[in-house]
Amino acid sequence: DELALLAFRASHVDTMVATAISKKRKFVADGVFFAELNEMLVRELAEDGYSGVEVRQTPMRTEIIIRATRTANVLGEKGRRIRELTTLVQRRFQMAEGSVELYAERVNNRGLCAIAQCESLRYKLLGGLAVRRACYGVLRYIMEAGAKGAEVVVSGKLRGQRAKAMKFKDGYMISSGNPVREYIVSCTRHALLRQGTIGMRVKIMLDHDPKGRNGPSTPIPDTVVIHTPKDDEDMAKPYVGKEMEM
């Protein structure tokens, strides 16, 4: 009986090892899932100010948090649209009923969200607004929202048959080093106009925020802070003309 039990346990372990996914495959699968989900939501919620998605894995279920500027449109009337999106995600990724939950989160400052600003620029260009005017409008809105720097690049057949790129900059922008990962948020979108495809990229450099609400809490390493010297009361004051009296 003991031998049979040991054999059963060994075979059970072998099947577990066979069905268990390797770490490499898991990371790839998670990345593909996030990319497909993000692409689906970009196409579905572009007009509702979609600003990104966050996936949280819990032991009970998968939580998907959709960030948007207009959360009322994402939720729909009496939560109808968010339920439709939940069903869509379940069917597309073959998830069990009730294993996935979708939430809508409002973006605090949409002027500091690159996705929201890039979509705004896209709709301005699709509406027929002049490229220069649209780009300067987005740039001014970003800087007024409290960004440290901004850059807007528009490329394609802007005027005439010759394709060219136009770059608009304002403020301070870093392009290398580890702080780029924390301080720079960027987004790329395409607009299908009559004359051809126009590509646009919006880069925003966030400002340092010690509370971590509107920017990273970690300061940039090369920032120089000059402190005001402390008043030292114990320091002896020089007496001018003391030697003359003596």
Side-chain angles (χ1 to χ4, degrees), residues 110-123:
R110 70 191 189 101
L112 298 178
C113 178
I115 300 173
Q117 292 310 306
C118 206
E119 287 288 353
S120 170
L121 178 62
R122 181 169 167 265
Y123 279 104

Side-chain angles (χ1 to χ4, degrees), residues 5-50:
L5 185 64
L6 286 169
F8 170 74
R9 281 181 178 170
S11 64
H12 185 61
V13 168
D14 288 342
T15 52
M16 281 178 68
V17 170
T19 54
I21 190 168
S22 68
K23 283 187 180 179
K24 192 187 289 185
R25 285 179 183 273
K26 187 189 180 302
F27 279 115
V28 171
D30 288 349
V32 169
F33 169 71
F34 181 84
E36 278 198 41
L37 181 69
N38 185 52
E39 185 67 27
M40 186 191 83
L41 293 172
V42 162
R43 295 178 186 216
E44 187 72 26
L45 306 172
E47 294 181 10
D48 305 312
Y50 172 73

Side-chain angles (χ1 to χ4, degrees), residues 184-201:
I184 303 294
V185 285
S186 64
C187 177
T188 307
R189 288 286 182 271
H190 303 89
L192 303 176
L193 302 181
R194 192 175 69 247
Q195 67 265 30
T197 305
I198 300 287
M200 60 207 78
R201 186 180 72 231

Side-chain angles (χ1 to χ4, degrees), residues 81 87 107 116 153 156 229 246:
R81 195 172 188 193
T87 310
V107 175
V153 182
M246 290 174 69

Side-chain angles (χ1 to χ4, degrees), residues 203-234:
K203 276 174 73 177
I204 301 171
M205 180 164 175
L206 305 171
D207 202 359
H208 171 60
D209 185 8
K211 293 180 181 177
R213 290 175 186 169
N214 293 324
S217 55
T218 52
I220 298 176
D222 61 352
T223 305
V224 178
V225 180
I226 300 169
H227 298 283
T228 54
K230 293 180 181 178
D231 296 328
D232 198 349
E233 295 175 1
D234 300 331

